[in-house]
Structures are given as structure tokens and as C-alpha cells.
Amino acid sequence: MLGAILAAAGTTASMMATGVWYLIGSLGFVTGFGFGCMMIPALVSVTVWFDKRRPLAVGIAICGAGTGMFLYSSIVRFLLEHYDFHGCFLILGAIVLHGCVFGLLLRPPPPRPTYNDTSSSANATKSDIEFETQSPQNKFDVAIFRNWKYDAFLLSCFLFSLGFFPVFMFVTSRALKELEWGEDEAAFLLTAISIANICGRLLCAISLGRSFINNIAALAFVMMLGGVTVALSMICNGYHTMMVFCAFYGLSGGTFNSKTG
């Protein structure tokens, strides 16, 4: 709920923006921090509720982000055309504030039964059963940062995100200014990326948890595919080549988010 309030406040405050630095502070820091606070509890709440098919549950849960990308590209265009810049951010802030409602729906999992002896659960009596509650104090151990392999994994994810995801913000402007496309054709590029992103998340949700798939190797392949896709985007100047770029860009981005989420 706190994250939704912060994100809504940052989005609403952006309606009074007078320059880029104002938007960096309001959208970049305040709204970004709020969305971060919303995302982590949402993912954790899914993982603690599922013991079986947990990767599939997480994958389905984060498919909503790809759906939001698909819908928001059209919603923002509609709001800008009918309510100008100020009204657009005001309405978006109200939409983000609805995250408080969904935050109220999050509940801790019920206590799980544990058995005092080696007897099976079918033959255990009530006196043999204890209910185990998960202590939030023992959820995270900072000693994991002493593992250089884990630190290398975090660094690789940070560098990939730093170079990969900002490209999404410039796809439309490049098509309009450099390639001199029409507004409808340029806007459809974001729709294509969103559809491919959803497909990548669904593909990852189905493949996660399979014993024959090495998740680390699959993540390394996805990151390599994303890097090659971004590098080759400079030579994509036609409509068909840009659509191919959007397909691979959205697919690799959605798969990366699902693997790391």
C-alpha cells in the first residue's frame, strides 16, 4: 500500500512538471521507488503460497506486467489526445492508486502442519502435529553477499538492465524522427514489443521447473540474445526488420524478467 501511495504521488506530481529534471525526480525516483515497493511483496506473496508448481504461479503472476505494457501504450495515447499532458498524469496517478486495493488482498499463508515423529501424516494424531508459522525475520540472510557467484549474478543482471530496457523508451521516437514513419506505425512497435513480452513470460512460466532445463544456462542465453538484438537494432531501418527486432526484443525482455523474478 505504501508503494502504491508513493507511485501515485509521483505520477500525479508529474502533471506540474516544468522540465526533464522534474520528471526524473517525480517519475524516476518517487514513482520508481513506489513501483519497486509494490513489486517485491507481490512476488513474495505468490512464492509463499505455492509449494507445487511455484515457478508456473510466479510466471503467470508477472504476465500482468506484459499486459500492462500492451494496454498502457494505447491508454496513454488516448489520454494525451483528449486530456493533454496534465490531465494524462492526473488520471494515471488515480489508476496507480488503485494498487492500494490490491495490496489489501495480500494475506500471509496459513500455518503448515509438521509432525513430531516419523509416522506418516495419515496415522498422526492431533498431539503429534504442530503448526509451523514462517518468521519474517528469517527470510533473508545478508551472508549470501559473501558468495562471489551470487554477486556476479547480481552485477550481470544490473548491467543487462542498464543497457537493455532503456531502448524501449526510444523505439517510437527513432521511428518518428530518424526513420520518418507515421504515428500509427511507430506506435504499433510498442504493441509488438508488448505482445512478444507476454509470449516470453508465458514461455518462461511453462518452462520453469522442468528438470531438463538449466535455468542459469537459459538465463545466460536470453541475456546474450537480448544484447545481440539491441546491437543489431542500429541496422534495422525497414518496417519488417523493425518488427523482427521488436519481436526478439520483447521476447528476450519478458523471459529475462520471468527468470530473474
Side-chain angles (χ1 to χ4, degrees):
M1 291 181 61
L2 176 61
I5 294 173
L6 288 175
T11 305
T12 305
S14 299
M15 64 178 293
M16 299 178 290
T18 57
V20 176
W21 288 107
Y22 186 100
L23 290 175
I24 292 176
S26 60
L27 284 180
F29 287 98
V30 180
T31 303
F33 183 79
F35 280 141
C37 293
M38 294 171 63
M39 179 180 178
I40 300 302
L43 290 178
V44 171
S45 64
V46 175
T47 60
V48 298
W49 271 92
F50 288 88
D51 289 330
K52 298 180 180 179
R53 300 184 182 273
R54 180 180 295 171
L56 179 61
V58 174
I60 294 175
I62 60 180
C63 282
T67 307
M69 291 173 57
F70 175 75
L71 295 177
Y72 260 66
S73 59
S74 300
I75 293 175
V76 171
R77 287 187 61 201
F78 175 82
L79 294 178
L80 288 174
E81 291 176 358
H82 292 81
Y83 298 99
D84 66 42
F85 176 85
H86 305 285
C88 174
F89 276 109
L90 181 62
I91 296 175
L92 289 178
I95 295 175
V96 174
L97 191 60
H98 283 75
C100 295
V101 179
F102 297 100
L104 292 173
L105 299 178
L106 299 179
R107 291 290 185 273
R112 300 174 182 177
T114 57
Y115 303 93
N116 293 329
D117 52 21
T118 57
S119 61
S120 63
S121 59
N123 299 326
T125 62
K126 290 184 178 180
S127 59
D128 297 324
I129 301 175
E130 293 180 355
F131 287 93
E132 177 187 21
T133 58
Q134 298 181 357
S135 175
Q137 288 79 9
N138 299 324
K139 289 292 184 180
F140 184 75
D141 187 3
V142 294
I144 194 173
F145 291 106
R146 299 175 183 174
N147 188 335
W148 69 268
K149 296 180 181 179
Y150 182 76
D151 296 336
F153 171 75
L154 292 181
L155 180 62
S156 63
C157 291
F158 171 75
L159 294 177
F160 178 84
S161 302
L162 192 65
F164 182 82
F165 293 106
V167 178
F168 179 79
M169 299 182 292
F170 299 102
V171 171
T172 303
S173 59
R174 178 175 183 264
L176 290 172
K177 298 179 180 179
E178 182 178 339
L179 304 180
E180 298 181 351
W181 289 8
E183 292 186 359
D184 294 335
E185 292 178 333
F188 186 74
L189 294 177
L190 297 182
T191 303
I193 293 176
S194 304
I195 295 174
N197 190 280
I198 296 174
C199 294
R201 293 171 186 266
L202 289 175
L203 178 64
C204 187
I206 296 173
S207 62
L208 277 174
R210 305 292 180 178
S211 58
F212 56 88
I213 295 179
N214 188 321
N215 289 325
I216 299 298
L219 179 61
F221 174 77
V222 168
M223 295 173 71
M224 182 181 66
L225 177 63
V228 173
T229 301
V230 173
L232 294 179
S233 64
M234 297 182 294
I235 62 175
C236 297
N237 298 320
Y239 183 78
H240 294 91
T241 54
M242 282 297 294
M243 291 301 297
V244 173
F245 158 74
C246 290
F248 279 98
Y249 181 83
L251 187 67
S252 55
T255 308
F256 172 80
N257 285 330
S258 299
K259 288 287 186 182
T260 55

